Amino acid sequence: MPTQFKGLSAFPITPADPKGRVDTAAVEKLVGRLAAAKVDSIGLLGSTGTYAYLSRAERRRALDAALPVAGDVPVLVGVGALRTDEAVKLAQDAKAAGAAAGLLAAVSYTPLTEDEVYEHFVTVQRESGLPLCIYDNPGTTHFRFTPELVRRLSRHEGIVGVKSPSPEAPGGTAHLAALRAVVPEGFPLGYSGDWNVTEVLIAGGDAWFSVMGGLFPHTALALTRAAQGGDATEARALNARLEPLWALFRELSSLRVMYAAAGILGLTQAEPPRPILPLGESARARVAETLKALNLS
């Protein structure tokens, strides 16, 4: 199994100025921390990395900043775009920069059919030569990958994994079993959705694509290792301890909380891209209090 699709894949924010110019020094700092923590992979330009708000040129600048400091840690790169030809170019950029794989979401304005999404993925992979991970993110794209569509794509050489949102327990175990039944043996099945991921990792999910891990890799690694190492009691205890953070994620969005947390930690003072507004003073104070109480690392 490719190492980038097992264990902890940590997803940092992509600091940029109000005009959308990436702060490469901040990207290097964030990615360097993850590499030093020895995460299993780094998810650059994911949804937490606000890929949809950045131009192709700025995405490439982020790549060029991140890849050298990632060292031996595989980097997965978001290559989603509305148009297939644009996604091809983004995937070509990621391959040229040395990315291990691309994360491709079914980004759309007009709702897409399963056949359209299938052709989109096959074309991007074939024309770029970059291995692709299916990025199922229905909360953003309003398209959900069915087990049948995952089955079709998993048979295509170059489609090498899937990133699914973690359903609330006990739905995660059933979702994992449904996908396992249709994909080739060894095809990696990973999950996002930090506050629901523990049970699906315990059930055998291959990877945690983690928002929290983008700033607090050691804490995320501890939970991942416990869950995947068979210590369900420890994994559940660690997850329960993190409930104050999960509550903030659910209420305020993980993206806004991570931008606030990065500022509180002194890693960057960048704000989310407009029209997303940064947290107000009261909410930011709650984030600071939660981080202090949890003593994350």
Side-chain angles (χ1 to χ4, degrees):
M1 182 187 301
T3 57
Q4 59 265 33
F5 297 118
K6 66 178 182 180
L8 176 68
S9 188
F11 280 62
I13 63 173
T14 310
D17 70 17
K19 294 184 178 180
R21 184 169 178 80
V22 168
D23 181 345
T24 55
V27 169
E28 290 170 357
K29 185 184 299 183
L30 291 169
V31 171
R33 294 172 78 249
L34 302 178
K38 301 187 184 305
V39 299
D40 297 300
S41 64
I42 294 167
L44 189 72
L45 298 172
S47 294
T48 301
T50 56
Y51 72 93
Y53 297 87
L54 296 170
S55 69
R56 179 185 176 189
E58 291 305 313
R59 294 200 211 184
R60 183 58 194 258
R61 290 182 71 244
L63 273 170
D64 290 340
L67 267 294
V69 296
D72 294 334
V73 179
V75 177
L76 319 178
V77 178
V79 295
L82 281 169
R83 293 178 58 92
T84 298
D85 54 358
E86 184 64 19
V88 167
K89 294 172 185 174
L90 293 165
Q92 289 171 337
D93 289 347
K95 181 176 175 60
L103 289 167
L104 183 59
V107 181
S108 67
Y109 183 83
T110 298
L112 299 175
T113 69
E114 290 201 0
D115 285 343
E116 289 167 339
V117 171
Y118 178 84
E119 290 299 327
H120 179 62
F121 270 73
V122 170
T123 301
V124 173
Q125 200 289 311
R126 182 185 65 243
E127 296 191 12
S128 70
L130 180 71
L132 293 180
C133 178
I134 301 165
Y135 189 178
D136 188 4
N137 190 10
T140 295
T141 64
H142 309 292
F143 180 90
R144 184 175 292 277
F145 284 79
T146 64
E148 172 58 18
L149 181 54
V150 173
R151 183 197 67 79
R152 291 174 64 192
L153 286 168
S154 71
R155 263 68 181 177
H156 180 79
E157 185 178 1
I159 308 295
V160 293
V162 59
K163 174 183 184 289
S164 300
S166 302
E168 292 186 14
T173 302
H175 184 276
L176 178 65
L179 292 187
R180 283 269 186 252
V182 299
V183 299
E185 184 177 357
F187 188 82
L189 304 176
Y191 286 84
S192 59
D194 286 9
W195 53 90
N196 286 328
V197 80
T198 299
E199 291 303 319
V200 76
L201 290 178
I202 290 170
D206 294 307
W208 176 16
F209 298 96
S210 176
V211 174
M212 185 265 282
L215 277 184
F216 306 107
H218 298 286
T219 301
L221 277 168
L223 195 159
T224 304
R225 299 291 186 256
Q228 295 188 322
D231 193 344
T233 299
E234 175 66 9
R236 289 175 177 135
L238 289 168
N239 182 63
R241 177 175 173 266
L242 291 168
E243 176 54 32
L245 182 64
W246 303 156
L248 290 176
F249 277 14
R250 290 191 293 265
E251 178 186 352
L252 303 172
S253 86
S254 59
L255 175 68
R256 294 182 181 90
V257 171
M258 285 296 96
Y259 266 89
I264 291 163
L265 294 174
L267 297 171
T268 175
Q269 295 306 313
E271 295 183 349
R274 296 294 190 270
I276 305 169
L277 295 175
L279 296 181
E281 184 177 343
S282 176
R284 184 181 171 91
R286 290 168 57 200
V287 173
E289 291 169 3
T290 299
L291 297 183
K292 183 176 179 180
L294 293 178
N295 192 29
L296 304 175
S297 65

